[in-house]
Amino acid sequence: MTEYKTLSLADIEELSFNALVAAGTSEENARPLAVATAATEADGIASHGLAYIPIYCEHVQCGKVDGQAKPSLETPRPGVVRIDAATGFAHAAIDLGFETLIPAARTQGIAALTINNSYNCGVLGYHTYRLAQAGLVGLGFTNAPASIAPSGGSRPVVGTNPFSIAAPGTDGQPALLIDQSASTIAKSEVMKHAREGKAIPIGWALDPDGNPTTDPSVGLKGSMAPSGGYKGVGVALLTEVMAAALTGATLGMHASPFSGTAGGPPKTGQFFIAIDPATTSNGLFSTAISDLVDAIRFQDGAHLPGDGRRANRLSARKDGVSVNTATLAKIEAVLKPGSGS
């Protein structure tokens, strides 16, 4: 029987930070990732939260990610910010980029941030959410190691490749937050089912021959099922162009896996676009987005993307988050002297 323990968001952040530092991550790189981990747990996305900390620590220790990396920034054009993550964590690189991206977008109306030589950026919507909090429409793309086969094929060429858009509201929070991968379900969910020995629903993954499977271990050896069939493949290709080709990052089919210790740094990429909506809409954006959101939110039974996270976040701040004790045990092992850190 799975057991859980309730932790506050502050506890989750500090536990994540201490484990990352114990594994060999600099404090400058550990803090942004720890903050994002707590926010991810608050949003109710446990598959991308604390469960990933032992993996991150393992990857620092084996050299798949450089915990001491120092990302570098350049601005080749007024509206373009370029970051080399130096095979370090994406979160520190994104933080550095946002420091220049946000004021550039406010000044010019639109600006882009490209990041290469990067690593798993966690929940993409966490980053676009922050752009919306700054009053900007934020679009984000991130590519991943190949796990989706092209239509009619069986060999993975592109990753689950999420994209996200966050639109600012009038209360300092996003009015709308879309964050979805090109696959039917995030690969981390299939991995979670494999660890727990649970079957997956038909439609989540395919075996190596391209046939549907309910065995997560078989699915991980095959490919992820694209959302909407060929349309999901199209979304994955779009994201691959934005996050890999346009940033100079490694294509998903050449990147090492985000799981396991083999292959060295994946060197994947992220691409963000920040837009000042007041500039592009001549001041009409707020009214339009409010009308759009209200048409969904106040329709019986309808779901507005982002509302679930908003509700989870309010609950987490008040009552804390239930965390799997098995995950906590793995993190405690990293913190123990002689654990290999």
Side-chain angles (χ1 to χ4, degrees), residues 104-116:
R106 287 172 174 163
T107 298
Q108 300 178 161
I110 185 169
L113 167 63
T114 77
I115 301 173
N116 64 13

Side-chain angles (χ1 to χ4, degrees), residues 94-103:
I94 293 170
D95 275 8
L96 176 62
F98 277 11
E99 291 176 5
T100 302
L101 176 71
I102 290 172

